[in-house]
Amino acid sequence: TSAQIGVTGLAVMGRNLARNFARNGYAVALHNRTASRTHALVEEFGSEGDFIATETAKEFVAALERPRRLVIMVKAGEPTDAVIQEFAPLLESGDMIIDGGNAHFADTRRRERELRDQGIHFVGAGISGGEEGALHGPSIMPGGSPESYASLGPMLEKISAKAADEAPCVSHVGPDGAGHFVKMVHNGIEYADMQLIGEAYQLLRDVAGYSPAQIADIFRTWNTGRLDSYLIEITAEVLSHVDAATGKPFVDVVQDQAEQKGTGRWTVQIALDLGVPVSGIAEAVFARSLSGHKELRDASRSLAGPKATPLGESEAAAFADQVEQALYASKIVSYTQGFHEIAAGSAEYDWNIDLGAVSSLWRGGCIIRAAFLDRIRAAYDTRPDLPSLLSDDTFAQEIGAAQDDWRAVLAAAVHQGVPTPGFAAALAYYDALRAERLPAALTQGQRDFFGAHTYRRTDREGSFHTLWGGDRSEVAG
Ligand code: NDP
């Protein structure tokens, strides 16, 4: 027999993805640099489906039906290039290589271009959902040629997560690096979501005076409303967990230094290149790096500042409701910024990405899955060329209704000295968009003063320069 799909790279992700394909009725060829992993998979899970274990690259390729579909699930970066170099010479025109790792989209663009000459379809596919998702149904963001999606799409739709309306959480995102770009922004949004939830927790703890267990209950309640999402759900689980060794809340025995693998950072780096203000995502990335600077924090603990005094019971409950408003409003801003980055990437690289379809495929399987994404899809369904999520009537109304509480929460945070960079950046973005005039006019004046960079006027076309060192008359720039 020959396999309909092959997976090389059988660490936790590849192994679970291979099992997912097999459980859905596909014959799966298996390969890993170290053959012991391949055999271990067959020994442990061989009864789950039709696996073909292979040891060499040649055997692996020979086990695949044509056109071949070969999934690479190895460490991103050089290992991915090494594996491509190993397999590409063994493939033929029309075959497909699917890279399911967390590749940088620029690498995906390069690989796609290099393999295109050989007639090989290179599909950079973002996969989200961690190991559980890989096994039970991830959210999949494939880029690459339409032909490759015609062949692969039905299989990916089968193994992917399904949204509440049963729609598969996968669709063809766009050419070459589009899939990995969207996966990158997904992770950036994930960082922002997590930071905002963290700030809400800190406020409920320090300002409202709730215990982790009480805050877990509050998050459980929120999870039945508009904030219904995987991240809110697991937050409640983490907060209600008690450390077995000490009997303390788990969250109090974990070191408060957050780590990161890099996709959040890429989201911000690329946003800087594209000129897209993703301030909420940037603050989330910076908050993680700040937390990691132990030496800086140890040296700064004695700096002056207010000490938060917890509220009374009824005030605390009212404050919790306000925090929910602040969290929701800030979340709308993060997604607005993330979708702006996708739109900008799509324009820059001619990807023609359907933003509604992206929000749709994030509704299940991935880390940011949430009821909220249905509303984003609805916004883009109503108006596919929506310039910003904040220009959607429903979101505009909701954020408008939340803004009083949002400001009150930030005022309390500032007053009591609780750091809330995510909430604050989101509100500053909102207020900047609303502003009649921004101080950018003054910035232009300064730039013209020290560097003759010129400026445009509100009342006339053209560019102008003021002779700052002379008689301060205005000349054409
Ligand atoms: P790892 O990223 O830990 O990679 C281990 C695998 O890569 C092993 O199969 C290893 O083979 C193989 N490998 C490493 N270097 C080479 C090389 N030079 N040549 C050939 N094979 C090599 O595995 P994961 O399963 O955690 O992740 C796989 C990919 O999926 C990564 O790109 C990751 O970023 C991405 N991803 C991971 C998620 C997760 O939750 N873990 C979620 C979504 C995506 P060997 O056994 O021989 O060492």
Side-chain angles (χ1 to χ4, degrees), residues 198-218:
E199 291 176 19
Y201 154 74
Q202 195 73 45
L203 288 162
L204 292 171
R205 191 124 192 222
D206 293 351
V207 177
Y210 287 121
S211 69
Q214 287 173 315
I215 301 171
D217 285 339
I218 292 171

PDB file of all heavy atoms in Angstrom, residues 198-218:
ATOM      1  N   GLY A 198      -3.729  38.931  32.551  1.00  0.00           N
ATOM      2  CA  GLY A 198      -2.827  39.070  33.693  1.00  0.00           C
ATOM      3  C   GLY A 198      -3.057  40.386  34.436  1.00  0.00           C
ATOM      4  O   GLY A 198      -3.075  40.428  35.670  1.00  0.00           O
ATOM      5  N   GLU A 199      -3.264  41.450  33.675  1.00  0.00           N
ATOM      6  CA  GLU A 199      -3.511  42.749  34.309  1.00  0.00           C
ATOM      7  C   GLU A 199      -4.843  42.738  35.056  1.00  0.00           C
ATOM      8  O   GLU A 199      -4.951  43.277  36.168  1.00  0.00           O
ATOM      9  CB  GLU A 199      -3.468  43.862  33.252  1.00  0.00           C
ATOM     10  CG  GLU A 199      -2.063  44.065  32.707  1.00  0.00           C
ATOM     11  CD  GLU A 199      -1.969  45.100  31.588  1.00  0.00           C
ATOM     12  OE1 GLU A 199      -2.892  45.930  31.448  1.00  0.00           O
ATOM     13  OE2 GLU A 199      -0.958  45.080  30.857  1.00  0.00           O
ATOM     14  N   ALA A 200      -5.846  42.126  34.455  1.00  0.00           N
ATOM     15  CA  ALA A 200      -7.157  42.025  35.123  1.00  0.00           C
ATOM     16  C   ALA A 200      -7.002  41.278  36.447  1.00  0.00           C
ATOM     17  O   ALA A 200      -7.521  41.691  37.492  1.00  0.00           O
ATOM     18  CB  ALA A 200      -8.159  41.316  34.214  1.00  0.00           C
ATOM     19  N   TYR A 201      -6.254  40.182  36.401  1.00  0.00           N
ATOM     20  CA  TYR A 201      -6.000  39.395  37.614  1.00  0.00           C
ATOM     21  C   TYR A 201      -5.313  40.254  38.685  1.00  0.00           C
ATOM     22  O   TYR A 201      -5.722  40.276  39.854  1.00  0.00           O
ATOM     23  CB  TYR A 201      -5.139  38.171  37.252  1.00  0.00           C
ATOM     24  CG  TYR A 201      -4.306  37.658  38.399  1.00  0.00           C
ATOM     25  CD1 TYR A 201      -4.889  36.955  39.459  1.00  0.00           C
ATOM     26  CD2 TYR A 201      -2.931  37.909  38.454  1.00  0.00           C
ATOM     27  CE1 TYR A 201      -4.124  36.509  40.527  1.00  0.00           C
ATOM     28  CE2 TYR A 201      -2.159  37.468  39.509  1.00  0.00           C
ATOM     29  CZ  TYR A 201      -2.758  36.773  40.554  1.00  0.00           C
ATOM     30  OH  TYR A 201      -2.005  36.356  41.613  1.00  0.00           O
ATOM     31  N   GLN A 202      -4.276  40.970  38.284  1.00  0.00           N
ATOM     32  CA  GLN A 202      -3.505  41.770  39.252  1.00  0.00           C
ATOM     33  C   GLN A 202      -4.381  42.847  39.891  1.00  0.00           C
ATOM     34  O   GLN A 202      -4.293  43.109  41.096  1.00  0.00           O
ATOM     35  CB  GLN A 202      -2.322  42.415  38.524  1.00  0.00           C
ATOM     36  CG  GLN A 202      -1.245  42.962  39.452  1.00  0.00           C
ATOM     37  CD  GLN A 202      -0.437  41.838  40.096  1.00  0.00           C
ATOM     38  OE1 GLN A 202      -0.047  40.906  39.418  1.00  0.00           O
ATOM     39  NE2 GLN A 202      -0.208  41.923  41.391  1.00  0.00           N
ATOM     40  N   LEU A 203      -5.252  43.448  39.083  1.00  0.00           N
ATOM     41  CA  LEU A 203      -6.152  44.480  39.613  1.00  0.00           C
ATOM     42  C   LEU A 203      -7.161  43.873  40.585  1.00  0.00           C
ATOM     43  O   LEU A 203      -7.470  44.451  41.631  1.00  0.00           O
ATOM     44  CB  LEU A 203      -6.882  45.182  38.462  1.00  0.00           C
ATOM     45  CG  LEU A 203      -6.008  46.115  37.612  1.00  0.00           C
ATOM     46  CD1 LEU A 203      -6.686  46.394  36.279  1.00  0.00           C
ATOM     47  CD2 LEU A 203      -5.746  47.422  38.357  1.00  0.00           C
ATOM     48  N   LEU A 204      -7.690  42.712  40.214  1.00  0.00           N
ATOM     49  CA  LEU A 204      -8.671  42.058  41.097  1.00  0.00           C
ATOM     50  C   LEU A 204      -8.012  41.654  42.416  1.00  0.00           C
ATOM     51  O   LEU A 204      -8.630  41.659  43.474  1.00  0.00           O
ATOM     52  CB  LEU A 204      -9.281  40.836  40.404  1.00  0.00           C
ATOM     53  CG  LEU A 204     -10.179  41.161  39.208  1.00  0.00           C
ATOM     54  CD1 LEU A 204     -10.567  39.895  38.448  1.00  0.00           C
ATOM     55  CD2 LEU A 204     -11.437  41.912  39.664  1.00  0.00           C
ATOM     56  N   ARG A 205      -6.750  41.343  42.326  1.00  0.00           N
ATOM     57  CA  ARG A 205      -6.033  40.928  43.526  1.00  0.00           C
ATOM     58  C   ARG A 205      -5.647  42.139  44.385  1.00  0.00           C
ATOM     59  O   ARG A 205      -5.959  42.199  45.569  1.00  0.00           O
ATOM     60  CB  ARG A 205      -4.774  40.169  43.102  1.00  0.00           C
ATOM     61  CG  ARG A 205      -4.117  39.479  44.252  1.00  0.00           C
ATOM     62  CD  ARG A 205      -3.939  38.011  44.032  1.00  0.00           C
ATOM     63  NE  ARG A 205      -3.562  37.380  45.275  1.00  0.00           N
ATOM     64  CZ  ARG A 205      -2.639  36.439  45.401  1.00  0.00           C
ATOM     65  NH1 ARG A 205      -2.009  36.004  44.334  1.00  0.00           N
ATOM     66  NH2 ARG A 205      -2.372  35.908  46.570  1.00  0.00           N
ATOM     67  N   ASP A 206      -4.971  43.109  43.776  1.00  0.00           N
ATOM     68  CA  ASP A 206      -4.400  44.215  44.551  1.00  0.00           C
ATOM     69  C   ASP A 206      -5.405  45.324  44.857  1.00  0.00           C
ATOM     70  O   ASP A 206      -5.385  45.886  45.944  1.00  0.00           O
ATOM     71  CB  ASP A 206      -3.205  44.826  43.808  1.00  0.00           C
ATOM     72  CG  ASP A 206      -2.040  43.856  43.733  1.00  0.00           C
ATOM     73  OD1 ASP A 206      -2.103  42.804  44.395  1.00  0.00           O
ATOM     74  OD2 ASP A 206      -1.083  44.134  42.982  1.00  0.00           O
ATOM     75  N   VAL A 207      -6.225  45.665  43.889  1.00  0.00           N
ATOM     76  CA  VAL A 207      -7.165  46.775  44.106  1.00  0.00           C
ATOM     77  C   VAL A 207      -8.456  46.259  44.750  1.00  0.00           C
ATOM     78  O   VAL A 207      -8.942  46.833  45.725  1.00  0.00           O
ATOM     79  CB  VAL A 207      -7.471  47.512  42.783  1.00  0.00           C
ATOM     80  CG1 VAL A 207      -8.494  48.621  43.003  1.00  0.00           C
ATOM     81  CG2 VAL A 207      -6.182  48.087  42.192  1.00  0.00           C
ATOM     82  N   ALA A 208      -9.002  45.161  44.217  1.00  0.00           N
ATOM     83  CA  ALA A 208     -10.258  44.647  44.782  1.00  0.00           C
ATOM     84  C   ALA A 208      -9.997  43.805  46.032  1.00  0.00           C
ATOM     85  O   ALA A 208     -10.869  43.672  46.888  1.00  0.00           O
ATOM     86  CB  ALA A 208     -11.007  43.831  43.737  1.00  0.00           C
ATOM     87  N   GLY A 209      -8.828  43.224  46.140  1.00  0.00           N
ATOM     88  CA  GLY A 209      -8.491  42.444  47.336  1.00  0.00           C
ATOM     89  C   GLY A 209      -8.978  41.003  47.307  1.00  0.00           C
ATOM     90  O   GLY A 209      -9.078  40.360  48.351  1.00  0.00           O
ATOM     91  N   TYR A 210      -9.261  40.465  46.124  1.00  0.00           N
ATOM     92  CA  TYR A 210      -9.732  39.081  46.024  1.00  0.00           C
ATOM     93  C   TYR A 210      -8.576  38.079  46.098  1.00  0.00           C
ATOM     94  O   TYR A 210      -7.445  38.394  45.726  1.00  0.00           O
ATOM     95  CB  TYR A 210     -10.463  38.865  44.691  1.00  0.00           C
ATOM     96  CG  TYR A 210     -11.837  39.509  44.627  1.00  0.00           C
ATOM     97  CD1 TYR A 210     -12.125  40.455  43.641  1.00  0.00           C
ATOM     98  CD2 TYR A 210     -12.841  39.156  45.522  1.00  0.00           C
ATOM     99  CE1 TYR A 210     -13.377  41.044  43.559  1.00  0.00           C
ATOM    100  CE2 TYR A 210     -14.098  39.744  45.449  1.00  0.00           C
ATOM    101  CZ  TYR A 210     -14.361  40.685  44.469  1.00  0.00           C
ATOM    102  OH  TYR A 210     -15.595  41.255  44.394  1.00  0.00           O
ATOM    103  N   SER A 211      -8.892  36.875  46.534  1.00  0.00           N
ATOM    104  CA  SER A 211      -7.908  35.786  46.552  1.00  0.00           C
ATOM    105  C   SER A 211      -7.885  35.127  45.174  1.00  0.00           C
ATOM    106  O   SER A 211      -8.836  35.269  44.395  1.00  0.00           O
ATOM    107  CB  SER A 211      -8.321  34.747  47.591  1.00  0.00           C
ATOM    108  OG  SER A 211      -9.490  34.077  47.141  1.00  0.00           O
ATOM    109  N   PRO A 212      -6.820  34.374  44.872  1.00  0.00           N
ATOM    110  CA  PRO A 212      -6.779  33.663  43.584  1.00  0.00           C
ATOM    111  C   PRO A 212      -8.016  32.790  43.362  1.00  0.00           C
ATOM    112  O   PRO A 212      -8.560  32.750  42.247  1.00  0.00           O
ATOM    113  CB  PRO A 212      -5.510  32.825  43.680  1.00  0.00           C
ATOM    114  CG  PRO A 212      -4.616  33.627  44.571  1.00  0.00           C
ATOM    115  CD  PRO A 212      -5.530  34.248  45.597  1.00  0.00           C
ATOM    116  N   ALA A 213      -8.495  32.108  44.398  1.00  0.00           N
ATOM    117  CA  ALA A 213      -9.671  31.249  44.230  1.00  0.00           C
ATOM    118  C   ALA A 213     -10.910  32.083  43.890  1.00  0.00           C
ATOM    119  O   ALA A 213     -11.719  31.693  43.035  1.00  0.00           O
ATOM    120  CB  ALA A 213      -9.911  30.434  45.498  1.00  0.00           C
ATOM    121  N   GLN A 214     -11.042  33.235  44.541  1.00  0.00           N
ATOM    122  CA  GLN A 214     -12.188  34.107  44.230  1.00  0.00           C
ATOM    123  C   GLN A 214     -12.076  34.648  42.809  1.00  0.00           C
ATOM    124  O   GLN A 214     -13.069  34.758  42.081  1.00  0.00           O
ATOM    125  CB  GLN A 214     -12.230  35.281  45.222  1.00  0.00           C
ATOM    126  CG  GLN A 214     -12.686  34.860  46.617  1.00  0.00           C
ATOM    127  CD  GLN A 214     -12.545  36.018  47.618  1.00  0.00           C
ATOM    128  OE1 GLN A 214     -11.522  36.712  47.642  1.00  0.00           O
ATOM    129  NE2 GLN A 214     -13.576  36.224  48.426  1.00  0.00           N
ATOM    130  N   ILE A 215     -10.848  34.977  42.415  1.00  0.00           N
ATOM    131  CA  ILE A 215     -10.653  35.504  41.055  1.00  0.00           C
ATOM    132  C   ILE A 215     -10.954  34.411  40.020  1.00  0.00           C
ATOM    133  O   ILE A 215     -11.533  34.678  38.968  1.00  0.00           O
ATOM    134  CB  ILE A 215      -9.227  36.079  40.887  1.00  0.00           C
ATOM    135  CG1 ILE A 215      -9.008  37.205  41.909  1.00  0.00           C
ATOM    136  CG2 ILE A 215      -9.013  36.611  39.472  1.00  0.00           C
ATOM    137  CD1 ILE A 215      -7.581  37.716  42.008  1.00  0.00           C
ATOM    138  N   ALA A 216     -10.614  33.177  40.367  1.00  0.00           N
ATOM    139  CA  ALA A 216     -10.951  32.058  39.469  1.00  0.00           C
ATOM    140  C   ALA A 216     -12.463  32.024  39.239  1.00  0.00           C
ATOM    141  O   ALA A 216     -12.927  31.854  38.103  1.00  0.00           O
ATOM    142  CB  ALA A 216     -10.472  30.742  40.069  1.00  0.00           C
ATOM    143  N   ASP A 217     -13.233  32.219  40.302  1.00  0.00           N
ATOM    144  CA  ASP A 217     -14.698  32.221  40.161  1.00  0.00           C
ATOM    145  C   ASP A 217     -15.170  33.376  39.279  1.00  0.00           C
ATOM    146  O   ASP A 217     -16.103  33.223  38.486  1.00  0.00           O
ATOM    147  CB  ASP A 217     -15.370  32.296  41.535  1.00  0.00           C
ATOM    148  CG  ASP A 217     -15.286  30.957  42.263  1.00  0.00           C
ATOM    149  OD1 ASP A 217     -15.097  29.921  41.576  1.00  0.00           O
ATOM    150  OD2 ASP A 217     -15.387  30.942  43.508  1.00  0.00           O
ATOM    151  N   ILE A 218     -14.545  34.530  39.471  1.00  0.00           N
ATOM    152  CA  ILE A 218     -14.919  35.683  38.636  1.00  0.00           C
ATOM    153  C   ILE A 218     -14.645  35.361  37.156  1.00  0.00           C
ATOM    154  O   ILE A 218     -15.486  35.595  36.293  1.00  0.00           O
ATOM    155  CB  ILE A 218     -14.144  36.942  39.086  1.00  0.00           C
ATOM    156  CG1 ILE A 218     -14.634  37.374  40.474  1.00  0.00           C
ATOM    157  CG2 ILE A 218     -14.291  38.084  38.075  1.00  0.00           C
ATOM    158  CD1 ILE A 218     -13.800  38.466  41.130  1.00  0.00           C
TER     159      ILE A 218
END
